[in-house]
């Protein structure tokens, strides 16, 4: 990238910071990103993008053709949604909406892609088409999946898609990525154990669902230890237990609900978790004369970067910050991300950009009340996007 482009991004930095802080002040949660989407659409339109609104309610797609002819099209994706969380920061751009907060930095993601979009419009020196995709509802509700279901890739065919997320604990000016599985599949499961319950003084007169529930909770960890191949990895955690009444410790409850989350990186391992959780739940229920209703909800698939596009992302990051600042073999993360749905459909790569701090700390993690996106990295992130476009559609691309 020419220093000229960096200079123009730098010149736009104060305006980009103002956009970022404005979005931060007005956080909007899943599928309600009306204000944010209208800012995005208005800016893209004013810069000469063809703008489509309404996919997954508040999704925005801007399309720009390069000044040179080319058949190839790529998608660059940012997320726009905030979290249900009470912000505890005191700075002037803190959230103005009680109970809502941009605690995952999607305000920054939106801004970095806007910064790149504007520069692309100023100088569309590429061959082919760039679609900038601004999606709603990344946090838990699968906005990417809904956009795809509503025709994202039919309306805007893409040969490859790219995503980016900020990483607190990764220093400013650094990128991290890996080829293959990078983020986990995130699923939920529920087992409701049923027995007769009864008087706590006479358990022999009925069946007690707390027995299989307790045994199941311990047995769950055996699935990871005994059924998941040792060279793979998985996480099973119980997050919710409910039974009986606090004021009735002398009553054996008739139902015990156990809910949890499961994380895995490969479809085969995901299948093992779904099947074995059910088997362990049913067999423990049966052994205590109880029954169980077991459900497994597949939420986010594993996020799998394809090799060719990972190489492109690494080259783009290296062109932005120098090869020595790009970790191309980063450790997988047990978090999940709904960009995984896009990567199920298209080749692509998802990269982490350092938000500051280091592994020892010195920063607030995402989803915590004192987190804030680091404005220092906006230009770096926008430059990365421009380098992806150059790698994919630039003069040197083939
Ligand atoms: Zn998040
Ligand atoms: Zn996020």
């Amino acid at each position: 990238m020419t220093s000229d482009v960096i200079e123009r991004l730098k010149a736009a930095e104060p305006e980009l910071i103002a956009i970022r802080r404005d979005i931060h002040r007005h956080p909007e949660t899943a599928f309600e990103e009306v204000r944010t989407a209208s800012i995005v659409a208005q800016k893209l339109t004013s810069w000469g993008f063809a703008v489509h609104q309404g996919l997954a309610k508040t999704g925005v797609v801007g399309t720009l053709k390069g000044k040179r002819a080319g058949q190839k099209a790529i998608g660059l994706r940012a997320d726009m949604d905030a979290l249900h969380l009470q912000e505890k920061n005191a700075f002037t751009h803190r959230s103005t909406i009680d109970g809502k907060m941009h605690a995952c930095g999607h305000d920054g993601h939106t801004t970095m892609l806007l910064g790149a979009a504007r520069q692309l419009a100023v100088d569309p020196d590429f061959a082919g088409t760039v679609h900038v995709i601004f999606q709603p509802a990344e946090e838990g509700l699968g906005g990417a999946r809904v956009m795809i279901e509503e025709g994202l890739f039919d309306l805007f065919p893409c040969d490859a898609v790219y995503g980016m997320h900020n990483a607190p604990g990764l220093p400013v000016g650094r990128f991290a990525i890996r080829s293959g599985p990078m983020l986990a599949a995130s699923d939920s499961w529920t087992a409701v154990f049923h027995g007769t319950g009864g008087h706590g003084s006479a358990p022999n007169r009925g069946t007690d669902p707390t027995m299989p529930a307790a045994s199941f909770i311990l047995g769950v960890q055996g699935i990871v230890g005994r059924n998941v191949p040792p060279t793979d990895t998985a996480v099973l955690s119980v997050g919710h237990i409910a039974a009986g009444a606090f004021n009735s410790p002398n009553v054996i409850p008739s139902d015990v609900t156990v809910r949890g989350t499961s994380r895995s990186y490969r479809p085969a391992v995901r299948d093992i978790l779904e099947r074995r959780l059910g088997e362990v739940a049913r067999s423990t229920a049966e052994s205590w004369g109880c029954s169980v209703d077991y459900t497994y909800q597949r939420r986010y698939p594993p996020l799998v970067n394809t090799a060719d596009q990972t190489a492109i992302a690494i080259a783009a990051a290296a062109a932005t910050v120098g090869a020595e600042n790009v970790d191309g073999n980063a450790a997988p993360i047990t978090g999940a991300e709904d960009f995984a749905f896009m990567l199920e459909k298209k080749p692509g790569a998802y990269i982490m950009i350092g938000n500051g701090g280091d592994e020892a700390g010195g920063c607030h993690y995402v989803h915590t009340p004192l987190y804030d996106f680091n404005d220092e990295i906006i230009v770096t992130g926008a430059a990365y996007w421009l380098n992806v476009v150059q790698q994919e559609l630039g003069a040197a691309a083939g």
Side-chain angles (χ1 to χ4, degrees), residues 198-220:
H199 200 300
S201 69
N204 56 303
R205 299 175 71 91
T207 55
D208 178 357
T210 68
M211 292 306 291
S215 169
F216 171 72
I217 289 166
L218 293 174
V220 154

Side-chain angles (χ1 to χ4, degrees), residues 37-398:
S38 83
I39 291 170
V40 168
Q42 180 264 322
K43 293 207 178 287
L44 292 174
T45 304
S46 74
W47 299 332
F49 279 74
V51 174
H52 182 285
Q53 286 189 263
L55 278 180
K57 291 194 181 139
T58 49
V60 183
V61 182
T63 298
L64 187 74
K65 287 198 184 302
K67 66 185 177 192
R68 287 182 281 118
Q71 293 305 310
K72 209 169 172 186
I74 61 168
L76 311 178
R77 169 274 201 179
D79 38 19
M80 301 187 291
D81 57 317
L83 284 155
H84 291 281
L85 194 75
Q86 185 65 43
E87 179 155 13
K88 292 199 176 141
N89 286 310
F91 45 59
T92 54
H93 64 275
R94 68 181 175 274
S95 170
T96 58
I97 299 171
D98 240 19
K100 293 188 183 184
M101 174 188 177
H102 268 292
C104 204
H106 299 184
D107 47 348
H109 302 167
T110 295
T111 306
M112 292 189 291
L113 188 52
L114 281 176
R118 176 154 104 169
Q119 186 54 43
L120 284 173
V122 168
D123 183 17
D125 184 20
F126 58 90
T129 305
V130 174
H131 301 297
V132 287
I133 302 165
F134 295 84
Q135 74 150 86
E138 190 285 320
E139 302 285 1
L141 294 181
R145 176 178 48 75
V146 179
M147 283 186 93
I148 293 165
E149 284 167 3
E150 294 184 8
L152 174 66
F153 293 130
D154 304 317
L155 292 164
F156 309 101
C158 291
D159 295 298
V161 289
Y162 291 87
M164 172 161 54
H165 205 292
N166 76 95
L170 187 64
V172 168
R174 297 270 284 277
F175 285 88
I177 189 170
R178 66 180 291 112
S179 185
M182 176 152 154
L183 280 85
S186 171
D187 299 331
S188 304
W189 44 267
T190 303
V192 186
F193 294 90
H194 305 291
T196 61
H199 200 300
S201 69
N204 56 303
R205 299 175 71 91
T207 55
D208 178 357
T210 68
M211 292 306 291
S215 169
F216 171 72
I217 289 166
L218 293 174
V220 154
Q221 299 312 327
I223 296 172
V224 177
R226 303 291 84 184
N227 300 130
V228 172
T231 47
D232 277 305
T233 186
V235 182
L236 291 171
S237 292
V238 173
H240 177 80
I241 304 171
F246 184 82
N247 291 324
S248 304
N250 59 346
V251 176
I252 297 168
S254 56
D255 307 291
V256 181
T257 299
V258 181
R259 303 195 69 212
T261 187
S262 64
R263 307 291 166 111
S264 56
Y265 294 97
R266 284 204 306 122
V269 173
R270 199 182 194 192
D271 292 344
I272 290 170
L273 300 180
E274 176 170 6
R275 176 172 58 79
R276 287 295 293 149
L277 281 165
E279 287 172 357
V280 173
R282 278 187 287 273
S283 63
T284 50
E286 196 186 327
S287 73
W288 290 99
C290 297
S291 63
V292 65
D293 286 317
Y294 165 70
T295 51
Y296 189 96
Q297 187 195 4
R298 291 189 170 222
R299 295 175 60 248
Y300 287 179
L303 184 145
V304 183
N305 286 331
T306 48
D308 289 352
Q309 285 68 31
T310 303
I312 285 169
I314 289 171
T320 309
V321 293
E324 69 279 12
N325 289 313
V326 182
D327 180 357
N329 191 26
I333 300 164
T334 51
E337 156 68 69
D338 85 343
F339 186 64
F341 287 110
M342 295 195 187
L343 289 179
E344 280 190 326
K345 302 286 179 200
K346 301 290 172 187
Y350 178 85
I351 200 166
M352 309 300 294
I353 179 173
N355 196 55
D358 54 36
E359 279 183 11
C363 63
H364 294 285
Y365 204 60
V366 288
H367 292 211
T368 61
L370 291 173
Y371 167 85
D372 192 30
F373 181 84
N374 187 348
D375 287 327
E376 261 184 77
I377 71 171
I378 293 176
V379 166
T380 308
Y384 166 77
W385 283 132
L386 296 173
N387 278 315
V388 168
V389 174
Q390 282 310 308
Q391 290 290 327
E392 279 277 16
L393 309 174

